[in-house]
Amino acid sequence: LEPFENLKYNYSFNQNNVPRTQDYILTLTSGSTGDPKPIVFTQETKINRSLLAARDLYNLTENEIIIVASPLYHSMGQRLILLPLLIGGTCILLSKFSPKTWLESVCKYKITFTIAIASHLNILVKSIDSSHNLSSLHTIVSSSSLLEDTVKKACIDKFQCDFHECYGASEVGIVTNLFPLDSENKLSSVGTPLPFLDMKIVNENKQQVKPYEVGEIIVKSKTAFSRYYKNEEKTKESVIDGYFYTADLGMVDDEGYLYLKGRKKELIIVGGTNVYPIDIENTINLVDSVKECSVIGINDPYFGEAVLAIIVKENDNFDLMEVKKACIKNLAEYQQPMAYEVIDSLPKNDLGKIMKHKLKEQFKEYDISKYLRS
């Protein structure tokens, strides 16, 4: 059934003869690679996101009690408020996120479902103790950025409910979903495409690539945005033949599971070889004394680009030599960071995404091959 025909109170959407394609709301992209861009959604898009990409996907009913702890200027926060209104459920809206308030609210209001920001989950799993009764939760979905495998395992173990991870973009909504049954064998994946959309991985010539080849993720979906607000040029550049070009890099395996490789803008080319920051970050983040890490490319006259690893320490026991040993053991020669910098914190937006463009600005004058030239 089409989602409009599947609504209990279908008449309410057309009682004033309002077309489904009429502009409904203006929202912002996350701005993780630059300034947030305003985008336009139609009424139909927002309803499809709530019903096709939430209610139907996660088997939600009118008995849901849903907690919202993400910014309401972003499409995810808006969806979590519209969803219970459309299905007859209940919404618990937090004025801001804190692990204490979130966990207390789940216990007090018997929360059943939420879509959570990945960085929030990273904090929450460290805060859960025996005093928290989270048994009311039947489903949690991780969104906004990629969870490390260790954090994903911790979420599965500690929340003791159906745990999903999804991949998506503000412009097209949820694209893939990793179901709980797939977590054991496909833990590093973000799942398979949803049934109402078409996803492809394409090369620079916009040709679809083979399984296990990395390319740009493009999507044609019923939950796609209408356009960038007052930016026709950007819209035409991003939407070609009905497909939205996400600027995200990924690959699919022979079973169609998607694996993310980062943003196209973040790709580092070292001596003509593609280096994906996420591979290096995953290695460094496994070192116990590392709290978090971000890897960027630095322009260099020797190599074109070279790898800089920027690290936040977990504790005073931090040992850079342990980080270097992990990189030597687990990464290819061309992936090795040429330099390491330790800073107090990484710049992030309200969704917890690391803003690498700010790191690039901070280190734009960094002379990464100085020691080689000496």
Side-chain angles (χ1 to χ4, degrees):
L1 292 174
E2 289 296 319
F4 275 87
E5 296 166 359
N6 208 11
L7 284 169
K8 185 182 294 185
Y9 302 111
N10 185 31
Y11 71 89
S12 63
F13 290 97
N14 281 308
Q15 59 186 356
N16 296 318
N17 296 316
V18 176
R20 301 174 183 179
T21 55
Q22 179 173 311
D23 293 344
Y24 169 65
I25 199 168
L26 193 69
T27 187
L28 291 174
T29 61
S30 62
S32 58
T33 59
D35 291 333
K37 296 182 288 293
I39 54 180
V40 179
F41 293 125
T42 64
Q43 297 199 46
E44 188 162 28
T45 292
K46 292 302 289 185
I47 291 172
N48 282 349
R49 288 194 182 193
S50 293
L51 302 185
L52 292 177
R55 182 197 63 180
D56 298 349
L57 182 59
Y58 304 115
N59 298 315
L60 305 180
T61 72
E62 60 189 16
N63 299 315
E64 305 302 335
I65 304 174
I66 298 170
I67 192 168
V68 185
S70 52
L72 300 186
Y73 61 74
H74 189 261
S75 60
M76 188 176 78
Q78 294 168 7
R79 186 185 324 149
L80 285 174
I81 287 181
L82 286 172
L83 174 60
L85 293 175
L86 288 172
I87 66 176
T90 301
C91 173
I92 303 297
L93 176 62
L94 301 186
S95 59
K96 62 180 180 179
F97 171 79
S98 76
K100 182 176 184 292
T101 305
W102 195 95
L103 291 168
E104 288 178 349
S105 298
V106 170
C107 298
K108 179 180 179 180
Y109 299 108
K110 306 298 181 186
I111 302 298
T112 63
F113 171 83
T114 194
I115 303 174
I117 295 172
S119 60
H120 289 179
L121 291 170
N122 196 10
I123 299 169
L124 286 166
V125 292
K126 299 174 184 177
S127 306
I128 297 172
D129 59 38
S130 57
S131 68
H132 299 119
N133 180 3
L134 308 180
S135 60
S136 61
L137 283 166
H138 66 73
T139 303
I140 292 180
V141 185
S142 175
S143 179
S144 300
S145 58
L146 190 63
L147 278 178
E148 295 174 32
D149 287 357
T150 52
V151 177
K152 200 184 300 188
K153 286 179 180 177
C155 288
I156 293 169
D157 293 340
K158 289 201 172 186
F159 285 112
Q160 292 289 303
C161 66
D162 283 350
F163 188 83
H164 299 248
E165 184 171 30
C166 69
Y167 159 73
S170 298
E171 291 87 345
V172 288
I174 294 177
V175 176
T176 66
N177 182 69
L178 183 68
F179 288 90
L181 290 176
D182 296 325
S183 295
E184 184 175 347
N185 298 319
K186 304 285 186 179
L187 190 65
S188 298
S189 164
V190 288
T192 52
L194 303 189
F196 56 81
L197 58 79
D198 185 24
M199 183 195 81
K200 296 179 181 179
I201 310 293
V202 299
N203 59 22
E204 292 292 335
N205 298 320
K206 298 181 173 52
Q207 297 173 328
Q208 190 167 1
V209 301
K210 297 176 182 178
Y212 299 103
E213 290 184 17
V214 176
E216 183 175 359
I217 303 165
I218 66 172
V219 181
K220 180 187 289 186
S221 176
K222 292 182 179 180
T223 57
F225 74 139
S226 172
R227 64 193 182 280
Y228 290 108
Y229 182 64
K230 292 186 177 180
N231 197 337
E232 185 177 350
E233 182 179 346
K234 180 64 177 175
T235 304
K236 288 182 177 179
E237 176 187 311
S238 302
V239 182
I240 302 172
D241 296 330
Y243 285 88
F244 173 69
Y245 282 67
T246 65
D248 289 325
L249 297 173
M251 68 177 187
V252 294
D253 63 18
D254 50 11
E255 295 180 278
Y257 287 81
L258 177 65
Y259 297 79
L260 296 180
K261 287 294 183 180
R263 296 285 291 173
K264 195 174 179 180
K265 287 182 178 179
E266 296 167 3
L267 176 69
I268 305 169
I269 302 177
V270 179
T273 303
N274 288 351
V275 175
Y276 303 101
I278 192 171
D279 295 332
I280 306 168
E281 291 162 353
N282 286 344
T283 294
I284 295 176
N285 280 326
L286 288 175
V287 178
D288 289 339
S289 59
V290 172
K291 182 177 182 180
E292 56 186 347
C293 166
S294 185
V295 169
I296 62 173
I298 298 291
N299 291 333
D300 184 78
Y302 270 32
F303 302 98
E305 279 187 294
V307 175
L308 173 63
I310 304 162
I311 296 168
V312 177
K313 297 187 294 184
E314 178 67 55
N315 49 51
D316 291 336
N317 295 324
F318 176 76
D319 184 353
L320 183 57
M321 187 55 66
E322 291 300 313
V323 175
K324 292 181 178 180
K325 286 179 180 178
C327 290
I328 292 170
K329 179 180 178 181
N330 297 292
L331 299 172
E333 184 177 355
Y334 64 87
Q335 294 175 305
Q336 300 295 323
M338 183 167 290
Y340 300 83
E341 287 291 326
V342 179
I343 61 176
D344 292 334
S345 63
L346 297 173
K348 296 179 181 179
N349 63 17
D350 289 341
L351 292 178
K353 290 184 179 181
I354 296 170
M355 295 187 285
K356 291 197 175 187
H357 63 287
K358 290 198 172 183
L359 288 175
K360 280 184 167 287
E361 180 66 24
Q362 181 178 343
F363 290 95
K364 68 179 180 181
E365 303 298 332
Y366 195 85
D367 192 350
I368 198 166
S369 60
K370 181 179 179 180
Y371 79 97
L372 288 178
R373 298 198 306 276
S374 65

